[in-house]
Amino acid sequence: MKDLILNYVINEYQEDEDDEITYETPLISGGFVDSFSMVSLKVFLEKKFKINIPDDKATPEAFDSVNKIVDLVNGYTK
Amino acid sequence: MSYSDKMKTMYQEQLETIKNAGIFKEERYIHSSQAADIEVEFPTGSDLKKVINMCANNYLGLSSHPDVIKAAHTGLDMRGYGMSSVRFICGTQDIHKELESKVTEFLGTEDTILFPSCMDANAGVFEALLTSEDIMISDRLVHASIIDGMRLCSAEHDTFKHSNMEHLEQKLQLHQNKRIKMVITDGVFSMDGDIAKLDEMADLCQKYDALLFVDDSHASGFIGKTGRGTHEYCNAIGKIDIITTTFGKALGGASGGCVSGRKEIVEMCRQKARPYLFSNTIAPVVVSGVLEVFNILSGNTERRDKLEKNSDYWRKGLSEAGFVLKDGDSPIVPVMLFNAKLAQDFSKDLFAEGIYAIGFFFPVVPNGQARIRTQISAGHEIHHLDKALEAFIKIGKKYEILGLTKQEIIAKYGL
């Protein structure tokens, strides 16, 4: 799951190949993902893992790195 | 009164946080008309300083043009100061319709509707045209007003990487079952100065049966051989379904904006766009001024040609001096400094040298992409550009960044 999310994030949000994105890279506070684009990330996670992430849990903090996203998704998968 | 001490403290703390983050915005008071040479009071209370303005959207130098001022005076005399009404009650004069026709002719579209600003046009257009059955697919770097407009609309939204046509095509495939797909972009991107690939986007929209929306605020009047805008530059006249633009930049610089495009789409805005329905009509004095701007532009291309020459001269000068620039073919020339503090200090030093250009940094531009955004005008003469160049080089030497690459500047100053 971790690599799947990382690959999605790289394919979707890496604009400049000089900017490396790893599991720990701050995505929102690092400026890779803006709050508007975060919505499509949430939709991707919900569709891919067949989960429902409540809007109040889909915070910029919860989406701020691949590792944090994995924790978030794990909280909603059975 | 319910403005308690608790609330007051809360706002004071929030303002303090903004100040501590180094992103508190301060106005600089200009004591002259908008032009290449301006007189500025900054900091507040200090003596006036004569500086060269390198950061106005006054691309064609028409903001204080005598013919535009004269036409505005005539408009004031003939049609009054205000209309005290929205358009559809009793706020539409003959000159409003005349301006809509002029814009339609100039942009090569089918019809046009005026809005109080382009911000309002962008705030109203998506909600008027799309529902929850539809999708908006926008470039990641579109202007904030488009983002706000999309937020007001119930259609789904998605984004594609900046000017990345492969990524756009992936998104069009992903959303191909939506009722209406609208691809949304700026014509010229305001922070980077690069130009959207409208020809390729129009082809993709044709292939996937999508509408194409362009905000041409930083292009109308000067991009393209006769200044029609990005669609002229990209040989895509007639292929853009919706163009929004402003009269607050090259086209006189006062205020007002519009949606121009397919006849039915413009009519839908007239029936449903909330900023059109619930906000005052553009003042007659502004409409008269913009009409004169179009008269000037229809006569010849002298001003946009001068702007192009000035922009080339400026870009070449900075590049030869060894600055890192963003590539582009517009009068927006960003000088990349990458580090936010360096951008702020550089701007401050420029001001001391009599050059007014602002540093931009996160969150206005992505983190680690701080810059000084310079904007060239047909109102600049070569001596203005030479003086500005001299100041840039002097300060570039002070910070020892001339000739350095992006990586070297980042290694020296950090992100």
Side-chain angles (χ1 to χ4, degrees), chain A residues 10-16 18 29-31 35-37 39-40, chain B residues 140 147 150-151 157-159 161-162 167 170-171 362 367 406-407:
Chain A
I10 289 173
N11 178 55
E12 185 69 18
Y13 299 109
Q14 188 188 45
E15 298 269 354
D16 187 339
D18 290 347
S29 56
S35 56
F36 199 63
S37 299
V39 179
S40 57
Chain B
R140 293 257 164 84
I147 292 174
M150 291 193 290
R151 285 188 204 277
H157 58 255
D158 202 346
T159 55
K161 290 182 188 180
H162 177 51
H167 202 218
Q170 282 175 26
K171 292 301 173 91
F362 187 74
N367 213 5
K406 171 186 173 181
Q407 285 75 15

Side-chain angles (χ1 to χ4, degrees), chain A residues 2-3 5-6 9-10 20-32 61 63-71:
Chain A
K2 209 170 168 175
D3 285 333
I5 294 174
L6 179 68
V9 166
I10 289 173
E20 197 192 1
I21 299 182
T22 66
Y23 301 118
E24 289 294 340
T25 304
L27 299 174
I28 313 271
S29 56
F32 288 100
E61 293 76 27
F63 277 75
D64 206 23
S65 72
V66 170
N67 279 343
K68 284 180 183 169
I69 294 169
V70 170
D71 289 345

Side-chain angles (χ1 to χ4, degrees), chain B residues 301-312:
Chain B
T301 59
E302 201 180 297
R303 300 189 85 81
R304 59 88 47 210
D305 295 344
K306 183 178 174 194
L307 174 62
E308 193 171 60
K309 271 187 195 150
N310 279 354
S311 304
D312 290 347

